[in-house]
Amino acid sequence: MKGVLIAAIVSLVVGLFGTPMFIKFLVRKGYGQFIRDDGPTTHHTKRGTPTMGGAVIIAASLLAYGMAHLVTMTPVTASGMLVLFLMTGLGLVGFADDAIKITKQRSLGLTSVQKLLGQTLVAVIFAVLALQFRDDAGLTPASYNISFARDSNVSLALGGTVVSLILFVIWANLLIAGTSNGVNLTDGLDGLATGASVMVFGAYVLIAIWQFNQNCQNGLASNAAKCYDVRDPHDLAVVAAALMGACFGFLWWNATPAKIFMGDTGSLALGGALAGLAITTRTEFLVVILAGLFVLETLSVILQVGSFKLRRKRIFRMAPLHHHFEMVGWNEITVVIRFWIIAGLCVAFGLGIFYAEWNVNQ
């Protein structure tokens, strides 16, 4: 478990001390956030706050992962590298979006089509590669089987190789788009998305460690019938720990009043990493519970848009959901803390279900 601890500590230190250095660089360049005029009026004071802080989270995670393997002298794995590729690739899409917002001084960066194409390209590459790289046990980083807390009997391998691959690519794209856009929508208040991400990635540290200890390939499982067929669970714990530590360090500067925003660079990257961990740990539906706050935020936007198009009426005063509560009079810190509580409850509930699934029929 040394690698997990090293990854968490290194990413925390890099995030904690690297962020203020990045803030100074952004201030010198004049790279500040553009704030929508139709949002809560209290947010107008944030105009000009440095953004693209997600670059620090990405850099801290990558450096921590590399240091963990360098110190422990262990090889990197296909699963770990693929999750980091997905995180970095979507982070680059977000970086392009943030850069356009800054240079053009407008609240919209890439068009929805451009952003979708960028996300899809990265997701397709990830999905195709995730079904390669078989280890000695024949396991690949991802599986054709749909999973909840482990692979189920429902498989996407319904036809030939090409048909099965296309179905899996579509499924992976849905997961990646859902998580990346979910974190992106939640990133609207100081520290909200970052704090929630810390909890979810912390949960994945525990899940991956548990899967390693109960893995079918290492001979340590206390119940062979309930062991996990997951490729590289220990390395996935290292990745999750690196992400958790990086978010912790960034949160120090992102908490109210935020000295820097993660921007789409960070939100798309974190959402991508979350989807990557869900796919490689075989917890594709469990992530809906673990990341329940992100799901609620996304649903609020879907309901708002759907209601307005069908009935010409809004359900919420403003979407995503956190802005609705601001509009009804809650101050920003109150919304953030209460939403963190919701995020924590979702994580606790998800971990409880994960353990209960393993414990049943013991």
Side-chain angles (χ1 to χ4, degrees), residues 2-240:
K2 184 188 295 184
V4 177
L5 292 174
I6 292 172
I9 293 170
V10 171
S11 61
L12 172 63
V13 172
V14 174
L16 194 59
F17 294 100
T19 303
M21 296 171 62
F22 193 56
I23 291 173
K24 292 179 181 178
F25 168 77
L26 293 174
V27 169
R28 285 199 305 269
K29 295 291 184 179
Y31 294 161
Q33 177 68 47
F34 187 88
I35 304 297
R36 289 168 49 187
D37 291 327
D38 59 341
T41 56
T42 55
H43 288 211
H44 294 169
T45 59
K46 301 179 182 182
R47 190 185 302 270
T49 301
T51 187
M52 295 193 293
V56 177
I57 297 176
I58 295 172
S61 300
L62 294 175
L63 180 61
Y65 179 79
M67 285 295 294
H69 284 281
L70 184 64
V71 173
T72 59
M73 292 185 291
T74 54
V76 299
T77 67
S79 299
M81 293 298 290
L82 280 170
V83 174
L84 293 175
F85 162 77
L86 185 58
M87 173 194 72
T88 307
L90 291 183
L92 289 174
V93 175
F95 181 83
D97 189 56
D98 288 333
I100 292 173
K101 291 176 184 176
I102 292 169
T103 56
K104 301 295 184 181
Q105 280 298 293
R106 65 189 191 194
S107 60
L108 297 177
L110 294 173
T111 66
S112 57
V113 173
Q114 290 171 330
K115 187 181 290 188
L116 180 61
L117 286 175
Q119 291 175 288
T120 301
L121 176 62
V122 175
V124 168
I125 295 173
F126 166 83
V128 172
L129 292 178
L131 292 173
Q132 314 305 315
F133 307 107
R134 292 187 179 276
D135 63 6
D136 294 338
L139 292 175
T140 53
S143 166
Y144 282 112
N145 295 71
I146 302 296
S147 61
F148 181 69
R150 64 176 73 238
D151 278 341
S152 70
N153 294 323
V154 180
S155 176
L156 295 172
L158 301 177
T161 303
V162 175
V163 173
S164 300
L165 179 60
I166 291 173
L167 289 175
F168 176 76
V169 167
I170 293 172
W171 171 239
N173 267 269
L174 289 173
L175 286 172
I176 294 166
T179 55
S180 60
N181 289 310
V183 178
N184 184 251
L185 291 170
T186 306
D187 184 35
L189 300 181
D190 295 352
L192 177 56
T194 312
S197 295
V198 166
M199 299 180 207
V200 182
F201 287 127
Y204 268 108
V205 173
L206 298 177
I207 287 172
I209 289 175
W210 182 265
Q211 289 178 333
F212 173 72
N213 290 331
Q214 302 296 329
N215 197 263
C216 299
Q217 278 69 54
N218 64 15
L220 299 176
S222 59
N223 186 341
K226 299 296 291 183
C227 64
Y228 295 94
D229 277 316
V230 175
R231 193 193 196 285
D232 315 315
H234 182 270
D235 203 40
L236 292 172
V238 173
V239 172

Side-chain angles (χ1 to χ4, degrees), residues 299-301 303-304 314-321 324-325:
L299 285 176
S300 71
V301 174
L303 291 173
Q304 184 85 325
R314 292 180 173 85
I315 299 174
F316 308 105
R317 292 195 179 185
M318 188 177 179
L321 191 59
H324 167 78
F325 287 102

